[in-house]
Amino acid sequence: RKQWKRLITKATFVRKNFVRKPPKFERFIRPTGMRFEKAHVTHPELKTTFCLDIIGVKKNPQSALYTSLGVMTKGTVIEVNVADLGLVTPTGKVVWGKYAQVTNNPENDGVVNAVL
């Protein structure tokens, strides 16, 4: 029995240890060419850009389904790893992850640009 499948044509994020489901049970196919693990994040106060690892997709304003699938479009809120920047809280703890908003269309540009 043939089952329906959907090919996602937008930029997506999948975690490092991601394993695809068997083809029989897979509903959404995320091509490897459209998967991103890093983002060019601009720090507004420092006015510099860093290439940081993406931790996850927090919220996509386009659709709740896009959020659960990890699709990144313009305006998506992503969580990035800022541990190597050395940011600290007022109490002295090292900041590990921060939210950033995607400022470009990754499926058109081939890169993910965001601002903290």
Side-chain angles (χ1 to χ4, degrees):
R1 185 179 96 141
K2 187 152 171 58
Q3 309 243 319
W4 63 272
K5 295 193 185 328
R6 296 287 183 268
L7 184 70
I8 298 173
T9 58
K10 298 198 177 289
T12 57
F13 166 75
V14 290
R15 60 192 185 280
K16 293 255 191 245
N17 56 353
F18 174 75
V19 179
R20 284 178 59 185
K21 287 183 180 177
K24 185 175 180 183
F25 303 111
E26 191 175 40
R27 291 286 173 259
F28 293 95
I29 300 167
R30 294 178 266 195
T32 54
M34 296 295 284
R35 294 180 189 176
F36 291 94
E37 294 171 355
K38 292 191 174 282
H40 301 287
V41 181
T42 302
H43 195 290
E45 288 147 20
L46 299 176
K47 296 203 176 10
T48 52
T49 303
F50 305 97
C51 188
L52 302 175
D53 289 326
I54 300 172
I55 298 172
V57 175
K58 183 66 178 169
K59 177 91 172 90
N60 191 321
Q62 307 282 339
S63 161
L65 181 66
Y66 276 7
T67 303
S68 61
L69 287 172
V71 174
M72 292 181 287
T73 56
K74 188 171 185 176
T76 301
V77 178
I78 58 175
E79 191 173 5
V80 291
N81 186 359
V82 292
D84 53 343
L85 295 185
L87 299 173
V88 291
T89 61
T91 56
K93 292 181 180 173
V94 175
V95 178
W96 190 70
K98 267 189 112 144
Y99 294 131
Q101 189 170 27
V102 177
T103 56
N104 70 327
N105 291 318
E107 68 267 18
N108 294 344
D109 300 340
V111 294
V112 179
N113 295 332
V115 64
L116 280 177

